[in-house]
Amino acid sequence: MEIGQKVKVIRLRDRVPSTIAQKLGKIGIIEGYKVTDGYGIGVVVKFDDNFSTWFFEDEIKPA
């Protein structure tokens, strides 16, 4: 996964606020990376409504 790539949110690992849950099935653009809890790297995704948040790599796929 590369910065600028379009991705689709395909699943959510944990319980999340409704603002994030509404992004399930939506397409956004990778704008960066985030070190998570030491077990991996998260991907920061920005959506058309300018909302951005991070996901684990197994929660998204290329669009």
Side-chain angles (χ1 to χ4, degrees):
M1 305 256 174
E2 299 177 10
I3 293 175
Q5 181 178 2
K6 286 187 177 186
V7 293
K8 182 176 184 177
V9 181
I10 56 169
R11 68 180 283 244
L12 300 170
R13 278 192 189 182
D14 301 314
R15 297 184 117 197
V16 294
S18 64
T19 54
I20 296 173
Q22 293 172 358
K23 301 304 178 192
L24 189 60
K26 303 289 184 190
I27 294 175
I29 297 174
I30 296 175
E31 65 174 13
Y33 303 99
K34 173 183 173 48
V35 176
T36 58
D37 54 8
Y39 295 107
I41 304 267
V43 179
V44 179
V45 178
K46 186 173 186 177
F47 298 92
D48 288 340
D49 60 0
N50 287 323
F51 178 82
S52 64
T53 190
W54 69 274
F55 298 93
F56 290 106
E57 286 192 49
D58 65 340
E59 294 178 314
I60 59 176
K61 71 174 185 177

